[in-house]
Structure formats: structure tokens, C-alpha cells
């Protein structure tokens, strides 16, 4: 198993065809039932690896977004994608010349799906080319880079969106709705377990220069982001403890396992686990005075499953990236405001918390947050 994406793909592969077949029943009314004759977001994908391929396949079912271009450093991949997705030669670029996309009126947005360390420079180049930027998470290596990306997109008057697919997932949104409606009462506790055994020791996700860390940057961000949107507050302190059992595979600066705790203004607390050395971790649990919510799987590619004190969650099974890209089209074109934000500021908050977690683990003390 080489990465989180490999792990999620394996647990979700049997459900992908089910998702593609049942996405018409998504919780967004008439999402795929009525013909759409509005503006279509024309997207180029940068980075044609495993997740880029998953996004491309999911976009086949989109009604408001369309894959029209590719950017890659591998010529053979470009040729393959051209044939597979009917992409014209004029919409194909490499990492050296993609700035020329500024002269291409047939591309509206570029989805950056490359190693973490490349996001900063690539998104800034996308902004300077006058294109909207969609960036995979984590959006950068640190908060300073993230802020520079936000500033660059604002200066260029383009949108910057982060690939938070769970922010559009129906089961997730139902739990958020219930929490907002007070159906759980006062939220007291949240727990997130996110992890798997990382495979190839030479993969870029175990290279600090490319990944910016280890499990926390890759899978732990789901726990951080989930704690924020489930509890509905921003944390004000963090404590953390790191465990490393294999210092050859997980070198200096590449975390293997981190347990961390978050405190919220209301008094709610979160207990979270991020690991590259423990399999089958994909669970959220939240407890309030009047009820609870449990999701397992909670962030995998699907199908997401959950239950509350009222019974099993019966929301639609969707292909996350299909809904994500259609919803992002409405954000870009119509300035639609999603229930949970997916803008650059959202990504910046997660990075500030990640930095505080790393610091807390290092100094073995509570770190106060102001995000």
C-alpha cells in the first residue's frame, strides 16, 4: 500500500461503480435529473497520477464541470489522457510552459493535484495566468505559503478553492444539519481516527521536502478538518504526542503516528489519531448531551456510512468528486456559499492547526491557537 489514496481506493473500489450508478439520487435536488443549460466550468487537471485519474473519471458524470485540459511532466501520460478524455492538443501543457494557459480562453480553472511542496508555486502561477485555482489538500507546506497563495489569487481576482470533497458529502452534511438544529444538544466530545499502513518507503509522501511531514499532512488533516466542521467551532488549544516505531522508514520530520487533542471555546474537546502505521482507521464519533453521531467509514471514497441516536443515516451515496466539481462550478460562477467553506482561508486554518500540533508534540506542552 503506497499512499492514502491507494488505501481509500482499495476500500472504495467495490463501491465506485455503485456510486457512479446511484449518483443520480444525490441529496442535491434534481442534481442529475433535469437538463442543465447553464455555464460549464472548463477544467484542466495538473498532475495525472492516481487521484487525478479518479477526479477525471468522476467528472464524466458532471453536468456543470468538464475536463478539457491536462498539465503533466510526463509526455506519455498526456498522450494517454488526450485519447481517453478527448482532450485537444492546444489544451495540453507541461510544468514548464503551462503559464501560456493565460492565452487559452477554453480553460477556466486548473485543479492542482501534485505533491504538497509544489502547490504554492503552481497555484501562484495559475493565478498569474488569470485562471481559477482548485488545489488539493493540504494546500501548502505551511501557513505562510498558504497566505501567499490566497493573496496571489485575490490580486489576480480569481477564486482559490481547496479539494475538500467531504464538505459536499450527504451523510456529512446531514450530521452538520442535525448539530446546527440542536438535535445532539450541547456538543461535548469528538473523536477522529484516520490512518493506514504506508507502503513504499520511497514514495513522495514519506519525503519531508515534498510532503512537508508525514501522516498528519496526508491523512491527519481529515481529522482536523472533521473536528472543525462536526463540532462547528474553531479550536483554541492543542496538545499532541508523537509515536515513532520505525525511524528508517519515517525519517526526521516525517511523522508516523500522532495523537492530538483539541479544545473548543464551548468546552467541547476532541481526541484524534493520525497514523501511517495502523490500518482500518476511518471513523468519526461525536457526542452531545442529547445524542450522538458515528460515521464509519467517515472520509473514505465511499460509501460513507453512519448512524445517530435516531438511527441509521440514509442519505444518498454519491461519487464525491462528481458532486464536488459541480458544486465548485457554482461557487466560481455564481459565488455560491457552501454549507462548509472550501476556500483558501479554510485550508489556511487547517495548516495553522497542523503547525500547532507539530509544535505541541515537540515541546510536549499545550499550544494555544488563534486561527
Amino acid at each position: 500500500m503506497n499512499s492514502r489514496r491507494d488505501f481509500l481506493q482499495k476500500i472504495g473500489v467495490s463501491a465506485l461503480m455503485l456510486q457512479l450508478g446511484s449518483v443520480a439520487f444525490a441529496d442535491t435536488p434534481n442534481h442529475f435529473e433535469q437538463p442543465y443549460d447553464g455555464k460549464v466550468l472548463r477544467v484542466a487537471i495538473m498532475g495525472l497520477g492516481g487521484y487525478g485519474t479518479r477526479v477525471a473519471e468522476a467528472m464524466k458524470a458532471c453536468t456543470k464541470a468538464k475536463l478539457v485540459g491536462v498539465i503533466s511532466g510526463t509526455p506519455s501520460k498526456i498522450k494517454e489522457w488526450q485519447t481517453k478524455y478527448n482532450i485537444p492538443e492546444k489544451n495540453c501543457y507541461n510544468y514548464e510552459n503551462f503559464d501560456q494557459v493565460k492565452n487559452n480562453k477554453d480553460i477556466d480553472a486548473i485543479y492542482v493535484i501534485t505533491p504538497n511542496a509544489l502547490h504554492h508555486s503552481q497555484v501562484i502561477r495559475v493565478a498569474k495566468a488569470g485562471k481559477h485555482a482548485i488545489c488539493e489538500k493540504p494546500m501548502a507546506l505551511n501557513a505562510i505559503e498558504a497566505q501567499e497563495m490566497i493573496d496571489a489569487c485575490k490580486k489576480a481576482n480569481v477564486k482559490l478553492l481547496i479539494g475538500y470533497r467531504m464538505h459536499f458529502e450527504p451523510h456529512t452534511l446531514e450530521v452538520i444539519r442535525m448539530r446546527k438544529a440542536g438535535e445532539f444538544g450541547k456538543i461535548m466530545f469528538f473523536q477522529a481516527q484516520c490512518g493506514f499502513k504506508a507502503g513504499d518507503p520511497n514514495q513522495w509522501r514519506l519525503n519531508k521536502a515534498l510532503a512537508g511531514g508525514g501522516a498528519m499532512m496526508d491523512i491527519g488533516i481529515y481529522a482536523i478538518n472533521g473536528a472543525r466542521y462536526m463540532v462547528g467551532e474553531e479550536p483554541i488549544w492543542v496538545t499532541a504526542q508523537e509515536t515513532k516505531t520505525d525511524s528508517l522508514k519515517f525519517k526526521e520530520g516525517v511523522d508516523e503516528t500522532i495523537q492530538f487533542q483539541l479544545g473548543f471555546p464551548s468546552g467541547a474537546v476532541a481526541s484524534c489519531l493520525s497514523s501511517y502505521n495502523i490500518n482500518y482507521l476511518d471513523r468519526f464519533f461525536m457526542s452531545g448531551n442529547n445524542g450522538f453521531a458515528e460515521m464509519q467509514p467517515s472520509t473514505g471514497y465511499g460509501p460513507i456510512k453512519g448512524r445517530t441516536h435516531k438511527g441509521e443515516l440514509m442519505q444518498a451515496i454519491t461519487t464525491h468528486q462528481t458532486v464536488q466539481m459541480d458544486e465548485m462550478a457554482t461557487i466560481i460562477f455564481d459565488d455560491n456559499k457552501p454549507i462548509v467553506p472550501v476556500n483558501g482561508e479554510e485550508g489556511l486554518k487547517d495548516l495553522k492547526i497542523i503547525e500547532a500540533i507539530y509544535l505541541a508534540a515537540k515541546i510536549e506542552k499545550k499550544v494555544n491557537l488563534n486561527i
Side-chain angles (χ1 to χ4, degrees), residues 193-222:
Q193 299 168 345
C194 301
F196 61 92
K197 280 185 174 289
D200 181 8
N202 298 314
Q203 63 179 287
W204 70 261
R205 289 178 181 83
L206 299 183
N207 181 328
K208 187 178 187 302
L210 288 175
M216 183 60 60
M217 296 290 280
D218 186 24
I219 195 76
I221 194 169
Y222 283 92

Side-chain angles (χ1 to χ4, degrees), residues 87-318:
I87 296 171
E89 181 69 30
K90 67 181 182 64
N91 290 354
C92 298
Y93 301 88
N94 58 44
Y95 295 133
E96 286 70 43
N97 69 11
F98 80 81
D99 305 274
Q100 296 174 17
V101 75
K102 67 182 179 182
N103 301 314
N104 192 331
K105 296 181 180 180
D106 293 333
I107 295 175
D108 302 309
I110 296 176
Y111 195 160
V112 177
I113 309 177
T114 55
N116 304 339
L118 305 181
H119 294 175
H120 173 256
S121 62
Q122 289 172 341
V123 165
I124 290 175
R125 287 172 67 185
V126 168
K128 288 181 178 179
K131 305 299 179 181
H132 300 291
I134 303 171
C135 183
E136 257 311 298
K137 57 193 178 302
M139 65 181 289
L141 295 184
N142 53 60
I144 292 176
E145 285 189 354
Q147 187 63 61
E148 289 173 351
M149 294 159 70
I150 293 169
D151 294 342
C153 289
K154 286 183 177 178
K155 182 178 180 180
N157 196 30
V158 297
K159 291 281 202 312
L160 170 58
L161 306 179
I162 313 302
Y164 288 114
R165 58 188 167 82
M166 301 310 300
H167 293 197
F168 307 104
E169 196 281 318
H171 298 76
T172 302
L173 292 178
E174 173 61 10
V175 173
I176 293 172
R177 184 202 65 76
M178 292 178 68
R179 187 255 302 158
K180 287 183 174 181
E183 295 183 37
F184 302 118
K186 178 179 172 60
I187 301 301
M188 302 300 296
F189 176 72
F190 175 80
Q191 182 182 57
Q193 299 168 345
C194 301
F196 61 92
K197 280 185 174 289
D200 181 8
N202 298 314
Q203 63 179 287
W204 70 261
R205 289 178 181 83
L206 299 183
N207 181 328
K208 187 178 187 302
L210 288 175
M216 183 60 60
M217 296 290 280
D218 186 24
I219 195 76
I221 194 169
Y222 283 92
I224 294 168
N225 196 247
R228 294 175 52 228
Y229 63 65
M230 286 294 187
V231 175
E233 301 180 56
E234 301 296 0
I236 56 175
W237 58 258
V238 58
T239 54
Q241 307 81 38
E242 181 175 3
T243 302
K244 185 172 291 191
T245 64
D246 188 343
S247 58
L248 292 178
K249 185 174 185 178
F250 303 101
K251 297 178 174 59
E252 181 68 26
V254 179
D255 49 290
E256 174 186 326
T257 299
I258 292 182
Q259 299 176 76
F260 62 95
Q261 302 77 41
L262 302 171
F264 297 89
S266 65
V269 293
S271 177
C272 305
L273 175 64
S274 165
S275 181
Y276 262 166
N277 199 35
I278 306 173
N279 273 335
Y280 311 116
L281 295 181
D282 187 5
R283 177 179 179 267
F284 284 177
F285 177 80
M286 184 167 68
S287 179
N289 286 338
N290 299 329
F292 73 90
E294 181 179 33
M295 301 176 70
Q296 187 175 11
S298 57
T299 63
Y301 293 142
I304 301 301
K305 296 181 180 180
R307 64 188 181 100
T308 73
H309 59 288
K310 294 187 173 182
E312 184 178 358
L313 294 172
M314 299 300 292
Q315 276 58 44
I317 295 171
T318 64

